[in-house]
Amino acid sequence: MKLFVHHTPELTPVEQLPDCAVVIDVLRATTTIATALDAGADSVQAFSDINRLMQASEAWLPEKRLRAGERGGEKVEGCDLGNSPLNFTAEIVTNKRLFMTTTNGTRALERVAQSPTVITAAQVNCQAAVNYLLEKKPATVWLVGSGWQGGYAIEDTACAGAIALSLLEQGSLSLEAITGNDEVVGAIALYSQWKNNLVEMFRLADHGQRLLRLGCNDDLKYCAETSILDVLPIQKEPGILVKL
Ligand code: 3SL
């Protein structure tokens, strides 16, 4: 297994695809996706464009769908929910399809949607992603961060590092054997430095600061919890994720 870390959708190569793409948006899209599927949502359909989301969701009965929209950290008008994972409770999401658009995470999903396998990871379900990779052993794995509007997001790279480090430790693999690009080594170093204080790192992060200004302190704490959910979102057809 060779790992490649790509910090943002924009830095992700366009002329090739991996055997398995792992899309990461710790703050907060892939945390929300894991939380919603764990809580009993039927599926998550991701859109980068709000108009396409509104159109596609019209075909579903209102009682079977939820529209979740976020731009700039805030809920999009006309949607049922924003992107705070804490709002995706069993009471609200059970048996519903979630139609979701976010600033960056859904764009990252779109970027690798044609890969043979696409899964999503965040700190909250990091171990589930590691278990899947250790079991399936895809030859090439891209850990794709969502970033923020084309820029780097430190929390996504730290999560990529958490996955890479767990693969090394639990798969008895050597760093040399799994490293596909320099970013993998950097991600492991970053996670190793902050793994005991991820919340503090999130509070320093650009997007963490943005969320704090919006009053989302509890979201940061929740998003920093490691492997509390044993759920793996996997793409069953382009743009549609279900629980494995
Ligand atoms: O950009 C995204 O995909 C979102 O996760 C951003 S936010 O955390 O909802 O603000």
Side-chain angles (χ1 to χ4, degrees), residues 25-30 70-74 83-84 102-106 146-148 207 210-211 214:
D25 186 9
V26 173
L27 297 175
R28 297 168 289 178
T30 58
E70 169 277 329
R71 288 293 179 271
E74 300 192 89
N83 192 27
S84 170
T102 66
T103 311
N104 307 284
T106 50
S146 300
W148 184 265
H207 189 46
R210 192 176 294 111
L211 289 172
L214 292 169

Side-chain angles (χ1 to χ4, degrees), residues 217-230:
N217 190 34
D218 289 348
D219 282 23
L220 260 59
K221 283 194 213 153
Y222 176 74
C223 293
E225 292 196 42
T226 296
S227 301
I228 53 164
L229 303 179
D230 185 18

Side-chain angles (χ1 to χ4, degrees), residues 6-186:
H6 301 300
H7 295 309
T8 63
E10 289 73 12
L11 288 170
T12 302
V14 283
E15 69 285 356
Q16 55 196 338
L17 287 168
D19 295 301
C20 178
V22 184
V23 175
I24 300 170
D25 186 9
V26 173
L27 297 175
R28 297 168 289 178
T30 58
T31 302
T32 296
I33 291 169
T35 303
L37 290 175
D38 186 67
D42 162 76
S43 48
V44 177
Q45 186 164 4
F47 297 83
S48 56
D49 181 73
I50 182 73
N51 296 322
R52 281 184 43 232
L53 179 156
M54 288 296 180
Q55 227 172 18
S57 58
E58 274 304 314
W60 283 62
L61 291 172
E63 59 270 28
K64 285 280 177 195
R65 71 170 188 232
L66 278 173
R67 292 163 170 157
E70 169 277 329
R71 288 293 179 271
E74 300 192 89
K75 177 170 167 280
V76 174
E77 215 185 303
C79 287
D80 305 298
L81 294 161
N83 192 27
S84 170
L86 301 177
N87 292 332
F88 291 71
T89 58
E91 203 186 359
I92 291 176
V93 304
T94 297
N95 294 332
K96 304 252 173 89
R97 170 163 294 191
L98 195 61
F99 293 85
M100 180 182 202
T101 181
T102 66
T103 311
N104 307 284
T106 50
R107 274 190 320 111
L109 272 166
E110 235 175 52
R111 173 67 200 80
V112 291
Q114 299 306 322
S115 307
T117 303
V118 179
I119 60 175
T120 70
Q123 280 306 134
V124 291
N125 70 331
C126 180
Q127 186 61 45
V130 170
N131 292 344
Y132 179 85
L133 294 172
L134 287 174
E135 187 196 328
K136 302 289 179 192
K137 299 186 176 49
T140 52
V141 177
W142 288 4
L143 302 169
V144 179
S146 300
W148 184 265
Q149 296 184 329
Y152 177 76
I154 195 169
E155 65 279 4
D156 293 342
T157 300
C159 183
I163 293 169
L165 186 60
S166 297
L167 288 171
L168 281 180
E169 291 173 353
Q170 296 169 31
S172 305
L173 303 166
S174 72
L175 185 57
E176 195 183 3
I178 65 158
T179 297
N181 63 4
D182 286 358
E183 286 87 334
V184 173
V185 182

